Amino acid sequence: MLAYLISGITFGFAAAVSPGPLSMFLMSQAVSRGWRKTLPAAFAPLISDGPVAVLVLAVLSQVPAGLVMYLRILGGILLLYLSFEAYNRGAHSKLRRLKTLRATQTAC
């Protein structure tokens, strides 16, 4: 049980310190409105994420093991699909930039 707690704290800390949309929003609000007015928004994840995590754990503890394995596989397939789409969009974006660059070089 202690290993799970340490693992959870480690992953939680890593997620908290990584930059993301919420941290960028909080920084911009702190700069424009001041840190005291931004403080309630900073505590919003502490209030909202706790009940969601408890609900998910309560539901998943009642689900049969076979369904949990199916959900894991389905989640993995979803992640592979999303990464494939992100890669393709990046590749197409680079291709468009190259075509635009070549068109402007030949026009000059």
Side-chain angles (χ1 to χ4, degrees):
M1 185 65 145
L2 183 62
Y4 289 128
L5 181 64
I6 292 171
S7 177
I9 289 171
T10 304
F11 287 130
F13 179 75
V17 297
S18 64
L22 180 64
S23 61
M24 294 300 123
F25 170 74
L26 292 175
M27 284 188 244
S28 68
Q29 290 298 309
V31 168
S32 64
R33 299 178 62 206
W35 69 271
R36 290 184 187 197
K37 290 189 177 185
T38 307
L39 200 56
F43 286 113
L46 294 174
I47 296 167
S48 64
D49 290 353
V52 171
V54 169
L55 179 67
V56 167
L57 287 173
V59 169
L60 286 180
S61 67
Q62 303 300 319
V63 173
L67 183 59
V68 172
M69 182 57 73
Y70 176 73
L71 289 173
R72 286 180 181 173
I73 293 170
L74 198 62
I77 292 170
L78 177 66
L79 286 175
L80 287 172
Y81 169 75
L82 291 174
S83 62
F84 180 74
E85 287 296 316
Y87 175 77
N88 279 341
R89 287 184 184 185
H92 290 303
S93 175
K94 287 180 185 177
L95 186 61
R96 273 182 279 172
R97 278 186 269 150
L98 282 173
K99 285 181 180 178
T100 305
L101 182 63
R102 286 183 184 156
T104 56
Q105 287 176 348
T106 57
C108 293

XYZ file of all heavy atoms in Angstrom:
811
model
N 0.819 -1.194 0.000
C 0.000 0.000 0.000
C 0.867 1.265 0.000
O 0.530 2.235 -0.652
C -0.924 -0.048 1.213
C -1.904 1.072 1.250
S -3.033 0.941 -0.136
C -4.489 1.524 0.579
N 1.981 1.208 0.730
C 2.878 2.360 0.784
C 3.500 2.632 -0.591
O 3.683 3.789 -0.972
C 3.975 2.134 1.830
C 4.942 3.292 2.038
C 4.186 4.515 2.539
C 6.021 2.894 3.012
N 3.781 1.560 -1.324
C 4.351 1.732 -2.668
C 3.365 2.459 -3.586
O 3.771 3.316 -4.381
C 4.716 0.384 -3.259
N 2.073 2.134 -3.483
C 1.064 2.816 -4.290
C 0.959 4.286 -3.896
O 0.797 5.151 -4.760
C -0.295 2.147 -4.144
C -0.385 0.802 -4.802
C -0.834 -0.297 -4.099
C -0.028 0.626 -6.132
C -0.926 -1.549 -4.695
C -0.111 -0.605 -6.742
C -0.565 -1.689 -6.019
O -0.642 -2.910 -6.618
N 1.043 4.561 -2.616
C 0.961 5.940 -2.139
C 2.143 6.757 -2.654
O 1.965 7.874 -3.159
C 0.901 5.972 -0.609
C 0.778 7.345 0.025
C -0.537 7.994 -0.378
C 0.886 7.240 1.522
N 3.334 6.204 -2.552
C 4.523 6.910 -3.039
C 4.444 7.098 -4.550
O 4.777 8.169 -5.068
C 5.802 6.149 -2.628
C 5.976 6.222 -1.109
C 7.028 6.702 -3.346
C 7.069 5.346 -0.565
N 3.992 6.080 -5.254
C 3.840 6.190 -6.708
C 2.825 7.273 -7.066
O 3.058 8.071 -7.972
C 3.409 4.845 -7.273
O 3.185 4.935 -8.645
N 1.707 7.305 -6.370
C 0.688 8.325 -6.623
C 1.184 9.724 -6.336
O 0.910 10.660 -7.100
N 1.917 9.890 -5.256
C 2.464 11.208 -4.926
C 3.480 11.642 -5.975
O 3.498 12.802 -6.397
C 3.096 11.183 -3.515
C 1.987 11.077 -2.458
C 3.947 12.420 -3.268
C 2.495 10.835 -1.052
N 4.296 10.722 -6.434
C 5.293 11.037 -7.456
C 4.627 11.457 -8.761
O 4.994 12.476 -9.361
C 6.207 9.824 -7.705
O 6.802 9.437 -6.473
C 7.290 10.148 -8.712
N 3.648 10.672 -9.214
C 2.951 11.030 -10.456
C 2.162 12.325 -10.295
O 2.097 13.136 -11.218
C 2.031 9.904 -10.900
C 2.750 8.717 -11.461
C 2.467 7.443 -11.019
C 3.720 8.871 -12.435
C 3.130 6.344 -11.524
C 4.391 7.779 -12.954
C 4.101 6.510 -12.493
N 1.557 12.521 -9.140
C 0.816 13.757 -8.897
C 1.717 14.972 -8.920
O 1.364 16.016 -9.472
N 2.890 14.845 -8.319
C 3.836 15.956 -8.324
C 4.303 16.260 -9.741
O 4.387 17.427 -10.138
C 5.028 15.641 -7.418
C 6.055 16.731 -7.401
C 5.828 17.908 -6.713
C 7.250 16.580 -8.091
C 6.763 18.926 -6.713
C 8.196 17.589 -8.102
C 7.960 18.762 -7.399
N 4.600 15.213 -10.502
C 5.043 15.418 -11.885
C 3.954 16.090 -12.716
O 4.248 16.965 -13.546
C 5.442 14.082 -12.511
N 2.709 15.714 -12.493
C 1.608 16.340 -13.239
C 1.394 17.779 -12.793
O 1.025 18.640 -13.603
C 0.331 15.533 -13.046
N 1.633 18.054 -11.523
C 1.397 19.405 -11.011
C 2.446 20.398 -11.494
O 2.131 21.570 -11.715
C 1.359 19.378 -9.491
N 3.682 19.962 -11.649
C 4.737 20.899 -12.033
C 4.897 21.031 -13.543
O 5.590 21.937 -13.995
C 6.094 20.519 -11.393
C 6.022 20.595 -9.897
C 6.584 19.178 -11.858
N 4.284 20.151 -14.310
C 4.416 20.257 -15.761
C 3.539 21.389 -16.279
O 2.411 21.562 -15.829
C 4.046 18.942 -16.435
O 2.691 18.649 -16.203
N 4.045 22.163 -17.234
C 3.241 23.272 -17.755
C 2.067 22.757 -18.580
O 2.165 21.751 -19.266
C 4.222 24.051 -18.625
C 5.283 23.078 -18.967
C 5.352 22.084 -17.844
N 0.982 23.447 -18.469
C -0.211 23.076 -19.204
C -1.133 24.269 -19.335
O -0.792 25.383 -18.924
N -2.320 24.055 -19.878
C -3.240 25.176 -20.089
C -3.656 25.851 -18.787
O -3.735 27.084 -18.728
C -4.452 24.538 -20.771
C -4.047 23.182 -21.169
C -2.833 22.807 -20.417
N -3.900 25.068 -17.744
C -4.329 25.675 -16.481
C -3.209 26.502 -15.871
O -3.449 27.619 -15.391
C -4.807 24.611 -15.497
C -5.283 25.160 -14.146
C -6.512 26.045 -14.323
C -5.567 24.048 -13.170
N -1.999 25.995 -15.891
C -0.898 26.761 -15.304
C -0.639 28.044 -16.099
O -0.347 29.091 -15.509
C 0.364 25.913 -15.199
O 0.783 25.482 -16.457
N -0.768 27.985 -17.424
C -0.590 29.193 -18.229
C -1.704 30.205 -17.933
O -1.456 31.403 -17.821
C -0.586 28.858 -19.715
C 0.582 28.031 -20.164
S 2.139 28.848 -19.871
C 2.949 27.623 -18.866
N -2.934 29.704 -17.780
C -4.045 30.586 -17.433
C -3.813 31.235 -16.079
O -4.008 32.445 -15.913
C -5.359 29.796 -17.422
C -6.511 30.553 -16.848
C -7.112 31.574 -17.558
C -7.000 30.261 -15.579
C -8.176 32.282 -17.031
C -8.047 30.958 -15.040
C -8.642 31.982 -15.767
N -3.372 30.446 -15.112
C -3.142 30.986 -13.776
C -2.023 32.019 -13.774
O -2.121 33.049 -13.098
C -2.825 29.855 -12.797
C -3.978 28.912 -12.491
C -3.509 27.763 -11.617
C -5.130 29.641 -11.835
N -0.979 31.767 -14.542
C 0.115 32.741 -14.614
C -0.342 34.043 -15.259
O -0.003 35.123 -14.788
C 1.301 32.157 -15.382
C 2.097 31.171 -14.580
S 3.582 30.698 -15.446
C 3.255 28.968 -15.695
N -1.118 33.952 -16.317
C -1.585 35.174 -16.976
C -2.553 35.941 -16.079
O -2.511 37.171 -16.024
C -2.238 34.851 -18.315
O -3.452 34.156 -18.126
N -3.394 35.219 -15.350
C -4.313 35.889 -14.427
C -3.559 36.529 -13.270
O -3.913 37.622 -12.825
C -5.356 34.899 -13.889
C -6.360 34.459 -14.915
C -7.180 35.611 -15.440
O -7.737 36.390 -14.688
N -7.241 35.737 -16.753
N -2.536 35.861 -12.781
C -1.755 36.424 -11.680
C -1.033 37.695 -12.113
O -0.931 38.654 -11.340
C -0.760 35.391 -11.172
N -0.559 37.704 -13.351
C 0.133 38.893 -13.847
C -0.849 40.032 -14.063
O -0.570 41.179 -13.718
C 0.898 38.568 -15.157
C 1.376 39.825 -15.847
C 2.055 37.640 -14.854
N -2.014 39.736 -14.622
C -2.952 40.809 -14.950
C -3.833 41.242 -13.769
O -4.134 42.421 -13.635
C -3.839 40.399 -16.123
O -4.639 39.293 -15.765
N -4.220 40.297 -12.898
C -5.146 40.639 -11.817
C -4.523 40.587 -10.430
O -5.142 41.013 -9.471
C -6.333 39.680 -11.848
C -7.108 39.765 -13.150
C -8.232 38.788 -13.206
N -9.194 39.051 -12.167
C -10.003 38.146 -11.646
N -9.950 36.917 -12.088
N -10.848 38.455 -10.711
N -3.348 39.996 -10.316
C -2.716 39.855 -9.012
C -2.912 38.446 -8.470
O -3.874 37.756 -8.797
N -1.989 38.017 -7.613
C -2.017 36.640 -7.134
C -3.165 36.387 -6.171
O -3.669 35.278 -6.078
C -0.675 36.250 -6.519
C -0.350 36.931 -5.224
C 0.286 38.118 -5.060
C -0.666 36.461 -3.921
N 0.400 38.430 -3.743
C -0.189 37.411 -3.006
C -1.303 35.341 -3.423
C -0.328 37.283 -1.640
C -1.440 35.209 -2.059
C -0.956 36.169 -1.177
N -3.610 37.384 -5.442
C -4.700 37.159 -4.477
C -6.026 36.865 -5.163
O -6.810 36.061 -4.676
C -4.838 38.350 -3.551
C -3.679 38.455 -2.605
C -3.844 39.561 -1.629
N -2.604 39.695 -0.877
C -2.506 40.334 0.243
N -3.545 40.936 0.761
N -1.347 40.409 0.852
N -6.286 37.512 -6.273
C -7.524 37.241 -7.001
C -7.443 35.947 -7.803
O -8.457 35.398 -8.190
C -7.860 38.410 -7.927
C -8.284 39.649 -7.174
C -8.805 40.698 -8.099
C -9.290 41.884 -7.285
N -9.909 42.894 -8.112
N -6.238 35.472 -8.057
C -6.045 34.240 -8.814
C -6.044 33.011 -7.920
O -6.290 31.903 -8.376
C -4.720 34.315 -9.594
O -4.711 35.521 -10.356
C -4.546 33.147 -10.537
N -5.823 33.200 -6.639
C -5.704 32.077 -5.709
C -6.915 31.148 -5.694
O -6.734 29.928 -5.691
C -5.405 32.607 -4.302
C -4.794 31.644 -3.319
C -3.511 31.066 -3.867
C -4.541 32.330 -1.993
N -8.162 31.644 -5.722
C -9.292 30.698 -5.764
C -9.287 29.801 -6.996
O -9.626 28.619 -6.908
C -10.530 31.608 -5.765
C -10.076 32.876 -5.143
C -8.630 33.015 -5.536
N -8.887 30.323 -8.132
C -8.819 29.497 -9.340
C -7.723 28.445 -9.235
O -7.836 27.361 -9.806
C -8.586 30.380 -10.567
N -6.672 28.744 -8.499
C -5.584 27.780 -8.329
C -6.023 26.581 -7.498
O -5.515 25.480 -7.669
C -4.385 28.458 -7.685
N -6.983 26.783 -6.586
C -7.454 25.684 -5.749
C -8.604 24.900 -6.377
O -9.050 23.915 -5.819
C -7.882 26.207 -4.370
C -6.722 26.565 -3.504
C -6.477 27.870 -3.152
C -5.860 25.584 -3.043
C -5.406 28.203 -2.351
C -4.783 25.898 -2.247
C -4.549 27.216 -1.892
N -9.074 25.317 -7.528
C -10.187 24.627 -8.194
C -9.892 23.154 -8.476
O -10.758 22.302 -8.222
C -10.569 25.360 -9.473
N -8.705 22.781 -8.966
C -8.453 21.350 -9.188
C -8.461 20.536 -7.894
O -8.861 19.372 -7.901
C -7.063 21.317 -9.826
C -6.882 22.660 -10.413
C -7.631 23.602 -9.529
N -8.042 21.123 -6.801
C -8.068 20.396 -5.535
C -9.493 20.059 -5.125
O -9.758 19.001 -4.564
C -7.394 21.221 -4.437
C -5.904 21.471 -4.601
C -5.408 22.411 -3.516
C -5.153 20.162 -4.562
N -10.418 20.949 -5.429
C -11.807 20.743 -5.046
C -12.520 19.821 -6.037
O -13.285 18.947 -5.653
C -12.537 22.106 -4.954
C -11.897 22.940 -3.839
C -14.021 21.934 -4.719
C -12.315 24.394 -3.850
N -12.236 19.983 -7.329
C -12.982 19.229 -8.339
C -12.405 17.847 -8.625
O -13.147 16.918 -8.933
C -13.056 20.027 -9.632
O -11.763 20.212 -10.164
N -11.090 17.679 -8.551
C -10.487 16.409 -8.930
C -10.680 15.315 -7.887
O -10.763 14.137 -8.232
C -8.994 16.579 -9.210
C -8.734 17.369 -10.480
O -9.705 17.667 -11.197
O -7.570 17.686 -10.740
N -10.751 15.676 -6.629
C -10.917 14.689 -5.564
C -12.183 13.857 -5.697
O -12.111 12.618 -5.726
N -13.347 14.490 -5.790
C -14.575 13.710 -5.949
C -14.605 12.875 -7.225
O -15.131 11.755 -7.231
C -15.685 14.768 -5.972
C -15.113 15.932 -5.265
C -13.643 15.905 -5.559
N -14.032 13.378 -8.303
C -13.998 12.615 -9.550
C -13.143 11.363 -9.371
O -13.527 10.269 -9.809
C -13.478 13.494 -10.711
C -13.227 12.667 -11.951
C -14.451 14.613 -10.997
N -11.994 11.500 -8.727
C -11.118 10.345 -8.504
C -11.799 9.313 -7.609
O -11.714 8.104 -7.869
C -9.804 10.799 -7.886
N -12.479 9.749 -6.567
C -13.182 8.823 -5.679
C -14.291 8.101 -6.435
O -14.474 6.884 -6.284
C -13.737 9.578 -4.442
C -14.683 8.712 -3.649
C -12.590 10.054 -3.567
N -15.034 8.823 -7.253
C -16.105 8.219 -8.033
C -15.559 7.183 -9.017
O -16.109 6.077 -9.137
C -16.887 9.298 -8.788
C -18.022 8.816 -9.665
C -19.132 8.222 -8.806
C -18.553 9.946 -10.522
N -14.479 7.506 -9.708
C -13.887 6.566 -10.667
C -13.390 5.319 -9.951
O -13.618 4.194 -10.410
C -12.756 7.245 -11.465
C -11.928 6.242 -12.221
C -13.332 8.275 -12.420
N -12.726 5.493 -8.815
C -12.245 4.335 -8.063
C -13.402 3.481 -7.549
O -13.324 2.250 -7.555
C -11.361 4.781 -6.908
C -9.980 5.292 -7.305
C -9.253 5.857 -6.095
C -9.173 4.186 -7.937
N -14.465 4.133 -7.116
C -15.623 3.378 -6.630
C -16.277 2.577 -7.754
O -16.654 1.419 -7.563
C -16.640 4.331 -5.993
N -16.387 3.166 -8.917
C -17.004 2.469 -10.048
C -16.094 1.349 -10.540
O -16.549 0.222 -10.777
C -17.341 3.461 -11.187
C -17.722 2.724 -12.453
C -18.458 4.401 -10.763
N -14.805 1.639 -10.705
C -13.892 0.623 -11.235
C -13.672 -0.533 -10.270
O -13.348 -1.638 -10.700
C -12.554 1.253 -11.615
C -12.558 2.093 -12.882
C -11.179 2.668 -13.154
C -13.040 1.300 -14.075
N -13.860 -0.313 -8.980
C -13.703 -1.426 -8.043
C -14.875 -2.404 -8.132
O -14.756 -3.545 -7.695
C -13.568 -0.897 -6.615
O -14.780 -0.296 -6.196
N -15.982 -1.996 -8.726
C -17.154 -2.856 -8.874
C -17.232 -3.522 -10.248
O -18.082 -4.365 -10.479
C -18.444 -2.041 -8.633
C -18.497 -1.368 -7.284
C -18.425 -2.358 -6.139
O -19.044 -3.415 -6.183
N -17.646 -2.025 -5.124
N -16.355 -3.128 -11.155
C -16.378 -3.635 -12.522
C -15.590 -4.954 -12.580
O -14.536 -5.070 -11.956
C -15.760 -2.583 -13.477
C -15.607 -3.130 -14.876
C -16.607 -1.334 -13.487
N -16.077 -5.947 -13.324
C -15.333 -7.208 -13.460
C -13.954 -6.997 -14.091
O -13.748 -6.075 -14.883
C -16.214 -8.056 -14.378
C -17.537 -7.406 -14.398
C -17.350 -5.977 -14.031
N -13.020 -7.883 -13.759
C -11.634 -7.751 -14.223
C -11.549 -7.809 -15.746
O -10.705 -7.140 -16.346
C -10.775 -8.834 -13.602
N -12.387 -8.603 -16.382
C -12.368 -8.695 -17.844
C -12.715 -7.377 -18.510
O -12.119 -6.999 -19.516
N -13.668 -6.668 -17.941
C -14.062 -5.377 -18.497
C -12.959 -4.344 -18.295
O -12.720 -3.517 -19.177
C -15.371 -4.892 -17.864
C -15.928 -3.583 -18.398
C -16.202 -3.685 -19.893
C -17.189 -3.211 -17.653
N -12.268 -4.413 -17.168
C -11.163 -3.488 -16.924
C -10.058 -3.722 -17.955
O -9.487 -2.772 -18.492
C -10.632 -3.631 -15.480
C -9.367 -2.821 -15.292
C -11.682 -3.203 -14.476
N -9.768 -4.993 -18.256
C -8.753 -5.300 -19.269
C -9.200 -4.792 -20.639
O -8.400 -4.231 -21.395
C -8.497 -6.809 -19.325
C -7.421 -7.197 -20.319
S -5.836 -6.399 -20.034
C -5.298 -7.265 -18.591
N -10.475 -4.939 -20.961
C -11.014 -4.439 -22.219
C -10.880 -2.916 -22.280
O -10.506 -2.365 -23.319
C -12.477 -4.861 -22.354
C -13.166 -4.326 -23.567
C -12.889 -4.832 -24.829
C -14.089 -3.296 -23.463
C -13.518 -4.331 -25.959
C -14.724 -2.784 -24.574
C -14.437 -3.307 -25.821
O -15.050 -2.800 -26.923
N -11.158 -2.224 -21.181
C -11.026 -0.767 -21.140
C -9.574 -0.342 -21.318
O -9.290 0.665 -21.968
C -11.587 -0.217 -19.829
C -13.101 -0.269 -19.669
C -13.508 0.150 -18.267
C -13.774 0.614 -20.702
N -8.649 -1.106 -20.741
C -7.230 -0.792 -20.917
C -6.820 -0.922 -22.377
O -6.105 -0.079 -22.924
C -6.372 -1.729 -20.066
C -6.402 -1.417 -18.609
C -5.529 -2.381 -17.860
N -5.563 -2.101 -16.444
C -4.994 -2.859 -15.528
N -4.369 -3.975 -15.882
N -5.064 -2.530 -14.261
N -7.251 -1.990 -23.020
C -6.915 -2.194 -24.431
C -7.539 -1.104 -25.286
O -6.888 -0.536 -26.172
C -7.357 -3.599 -24.884
C -6.518 -4.665 -24.174
C -7.266 -3.746 -26.395
C -7.020 -6.077 -24.365
N -8.783 -0.782 -25.019
C -9.465 0.277 -25.758
C -8.777 1.626 -25.552
O -8.601 2.391 -26.513
C -10.929 0.351 -25.312
C -11.898 1.066 -26.211
C -11.981 0.352 -27.555
C -13.261 1.108 -25.560
N -8.343 1.909 -24.335
C -7.606 3.142 -24.068
C -6.278 3.188 -24.789
O -5.866 4.228 -25.304
N -5.594 2.041 -24.857
C -4.338 1.982 -25.595
C -4.531 2.227 -27.073
O -3.738 2.929 -27.707
N -5.591 1.652 -27.625
C -5.894 1.879 -29.040
C -6.215 3.348 -29.288
O -5.774 3.932 -30.288
C -7.050 0.957 -29.496
C -6.584 -0.500 -29.506
C -7.583 1.363 -30.860
C -7.689 -1.510 -29.701
N -6.951 3.964 -28.379
C -7.266 5.387 -28.510
C -5.998 6.229 -28.480
O -5.838 7.151 -29.291
C -8.225 5.832 -27.405
C -8.565 7.317 -27.387
C -9.348 7.704 -28.632
C -9.334 7.674 -26.138
N -5.073 5.920 -27.576
C -3.821 6.671 -27.520
C -2.994 6.494 -28.785
O -2.388 7.454 -29.283
C -3.005 6.251 -26.300
C -3.521 6.762 -24.961
C -2.688 6.181 -23.829
C -3.500 8.269 -24.913
N -2.959 5.281 -29.315
C -2.249 5.055 -30.572
C -2.875 5.849 -31.717
O -2.174 6.438 -32.544
C -2.225 3.566 -30.915
C -1.301 2.709 -30.067
C -1.515 1.228 -30.384
C 0.141 3.108 -30.283
N -4.208 5.866 -31.770
C -4.903 6.630 -32.807
C -4.595 8.127 -32.678
O -4.291 8.793 -33.675
C -6.411 6.391 -32.709
C -7.217 7.327 -33.564
C -7.281 7.172 -34.941
C -7.908 8.391 -32.989
C -7.997 8.042 -35.733
C -8.633 9.266 -33.769
C -8.689 9.091 -35.135
O -9.389 9.964 -35.905
N -4.661 8.652 -31.464
C -4.394 10.079 -31.263
C -2.956 10.436 -31.619
O -2.697 11.478 -32.220
C -4.701 10.473 -29.815
C -6.176 10.451 -29.420
C -6.326 10.716 -27.930
C -6.977 11.457 -30.226
N -2.008 9.567 -31.271
C -0.613 9.850 -31.618
C -0.401 9.765 -33.125
O 0.345 10.565 -33.692
C 0.323 8.901 -30.871
O 0.081 7.574 -31.248
N -1.054 8.817 -33.776
C -0.953 8.700 -35.228
C -1.504 9.954 -35.900
O -0.901 10.496 -36.830
C -1.703 7.456 -35.702
C -1.669 7.239 -37.177
C -0.517 6.799 -37.797
C -2.796 7.482 -37.946
C -0.482 6.598 -39.172
C -2.773 7.298 -39.313
C -1.612 6.852 -39.930
N -2.652 10.440 -35.440
C -3.249 11.653 -36.006
C -2.362 12.868 -35.761
O -2.200 13.716 -36.645
C -4.645 11.883 -35.429
C -5.687 10.928 -35.946
C -5.930 11.088 -37.431
O -6.024 12.234 -37.912
O -6.020 10.068 -38.127
N -1.798 12.982 -34.570
C -0.922 14.117 -34.279
C 0.319 14.076 -35.159
O 0.771 15.110 -35.659
C -0.524 14.103 -32.803
N 0.877 12.892 -35.358
C 2.041 12.751 -36.231
C 1.695 13.140 -37.665
O 2.446 13.860 -38.326
C 2.569 11.316 -36.191
C 3.694 11.080 -37.152
C 4.970 11.529 -36.869
C 3.470 10.417 -38.353
C 6.013 11.327 -37.758
C 4.507 10.204 -39.246
C 5.770 10.666 -38.951
O 6.793 10.467 -39.831
N 0.561 12.669 -38.148
C 0.156 12.994 -39.525
C -0.077 14.481 -39.707
O 0.294 15.053 -40.729
C -1.097 12.211 -39.916
C -0.769 10.808 -40.337
O 0.355 10.503 -40.676
N -1.762 9.943 -40.303
N -0.701 15.107 -38.739
C -0.928 16.553 -38.860
C 0.384 17.313 -38.858
O 0.549 18.286 -39.580
C -1.828 17.043 -37.744
C -3.248 16.611 -37.927
C -4.145 17.180 -36.885
N -5.477 16.650 -37.081
C -6.512 17.035 -36.391
N -6.388 17.925 -35.448
N -7.694 16.514 -36.632
N 1.325 16.869 -38.047
C 2.638 17.514 -38.031
C 3.363 17.313 -39.335
O 4.006 18.228 -39.862
N 3.288 16.121 -39.900
C 3.959 15.838 -41.173
C 3.336 16.664 -42.289
O 4.044 17.211 -43.140
C 3.867 14.347 -41.486
N 2.007 16.777 -42.317
C 1.343 17.570 -43.350
C 1.666 19.046 -43.184
O 1.815 19.772 -44.157
C -0.168 17.350 -43.315
C -0.580 15.990 -43.770
N -0.246 15.479 -44.999
C -1.285 15.019 -43.145
C -0.734 14.258 -45.130
N -1.364 13.947 -44.000
N 1.794 19.493 -41.946
C 2.132 20.890 -41.703
C 3.528 21.202 -42.220
O 3.757 22.227 -42.854
C 2.036 21.188 -40.205
O 2.457 22.493 -39.935
N 4.478 20.292 -41.981
C 5.836 20.492 -42.487
C 5.851 20.491 -44.011
O 6.557 21.285 -44.630
C 6.761 19.389 -41.959
C 7.109 19.529 -40.515
C 8.015 18.393 -40.076
C 8.275 18.439 -38.600
N 9.091 17.308 -38.147
N 5.066 19.602 -44.609
C 5.009 19.523 -46.064
C 4.454 20.818 -46.649
O 4.976 21.332 -47.638
C 4.153 18.330 -46.492
C 4.101 18.014 -47.967
C 5.487 17.686 -48.492
C 3.154 16.856 -48.222
N 3.402 21.380 -46.035
C 2.840 22.645 -46.513
C 3.852 23.780 -46.396
O 3.970 24.614 -47.285
C 1.574 22.998 -45.736
C 0.328 22.378 -46.342
C -0.856 22.798 -45.571
N -0.843 21.884 -44.419
C -1.613 21.948 -43.381
N -2.480 22.893 -43.279
N -1.537 21.088 -42.404
N 4.592 23.809 -45.285
C 5.594 24.853 -45.110
C 6.696 24.736 -46.162
O 7.164 25.739 -46.700
C 6.196 24.797 -43.707
C 5.321 25.498 -42.684
C 5.993 25.549 -41.349
N 5.554 24.333 -40.646
C 6.238 23.683 -39.744
N 7.420 24.078 -39.394
N 5.758 22.613 -39.167
N 7.111 23.506 -46.470
C 8.129 23.312 -47.498
C 7.629 23.766 -48.866
O 8.355 24.408 -49.621
C 8.548 21.843 -47.553
C 9.509 21.381 -46.477
C 9.711 19.874 -46.558
C 10.849 22.091 -46.618
N 6.374 23.435 -49.183
C 5.816 23.850 -50.465
C 5.724 25.366 -50.556
O 6.026 25.959 -51.577
C 4.428 23.236 -50.672
C 4.473 21.768 -51.010
C 3.070 21.225 -51.218
C 3.099 19.753 -51.556
N 1.735 19.210 -51.718
N 5.305 26.010 -49.469
C 5.213 27.471 -49.449
C 6.593 28.094 -49.584
O 6.781 29.053 -50.325
C 4.550 27.938 -48.132
O 3.296 27.290 -47.997
C 4.359 29.432 -48.114
N 7.562 27.530 -48.899
C 8.931 28.055 -48.970
C 9.486 27.914 -50.373
O 10.086 28.835 -50.916
C 9.818 27.318 -47.962
C 11.260 27.780 -47.871
C 11.333 29.224 -47.392
C 12.044 26.878 -46.928
N 9.263 26.755 -50.986
C 9.757 26.555 -52.347
C 9.047 27.475 -53.342
O 9.650 27.983 -54.287
C 9.564 25.100 -52.761
C 10.556 24.187 -52.088
C 10.420 22.776 -52.552
N 11.332 21.904 -51.822
C 11.170 20.618 -51.665
N 10.118 20.023 -52.202
N 12.033 19.901 -50.988
N 7.752 27.687 -53.132
C 7.005 28.577 -54.028
C 7.506 30.010 -53.928
O 7.617 30.711 -54.937
C 5.521 28.507 -53.715
N 7.825 30.458 -52.720
C 8.325 31.837 -52.570
C 9.741 31.955 -53.116
O 10.111 33.005 -53.634
C 8.292 32.264 -51.101
O 9.043 31.344 -50.314
C 6.879 32.364 -50.580
N 10.557 30.881 -53.019
C 11.925 30.948 -53.545
C 11.924 30.955 -55.063
O 12.737 31.631 -55.677
C 12.742 29.767 -53.024
C 13.101 29.877 -51.567
C 13.826 28.651 -51.055
O 13.875 27.624 -51.732
N 14.382 28.750 -49.867
N 11.014 30.204 -55.675
C 10.971 30.179 -57.130
C 10.344 31.450 -57.700
O 10.631 31.839 -58.828
C 10.195 28.959 -57.652
O 8.881 28.965 -57.102
C 10.920 27.667 -57.288
N 9.511 32.124 -56.903
C 8.871 33.358 -57.362
C 9.838 34.514 -57.372
O 9.678 35.480 -58.111
C 7.673 33.690 -56.480
N 10.871 34.432 -56.567
C 11.846 35.540 -56.488
C 12.809 35.536 -57.587
O 13.201 35.222 -58.440
C 12.634 35.461 -55.182
S 11.601 35.778 -53.753
